[in-house]
Amino acid sequence: MDIQVTGILGVLWLIVVIWAIIQVAQSSASGTAKLLWILLMLFLPVAGVIIWFLLGPKSS
């Protein structure tokens, strides 16, 4: 894969992770839950975001 394409995909993924962290911070979850979700996304960004999309708080 071309290095420019990889760079673009990396920037797009960074935007997704930042968006997910903002969503967690604005959610109605407890402070501890927010902290744990955000730490998960920071230390394991791919797995953290995927797990959050699957198991995180759902808006109705």
Side-chain angles (χ1 to χ4, degrees), residues 11-60:
V11 169
L12 290 175
W13 187 253
L14 179 63
I15 291 169
V16 169
V17 171
I18 291 170
W19 175 82
I21 289 172
I22 291 169
Q23 295 300 311
V24 169
Q26 294 176 346
S27 74
S28 61
S30 70
T32 303
K34 288 180 185 183
L35 177 63
L36 292 175
W37 279 116
I38 290 172
L39 288 175
L40 179 67
M41 287 185 218
L42 289 174
F43 289 111
L44 301 170
V46 175
V49 170
I50 292 170
I51 293 168
W52 179 73
F53 276 125
L54 296 174
L55 303 175
K58 306 290 185 244
S59 59
S60 298

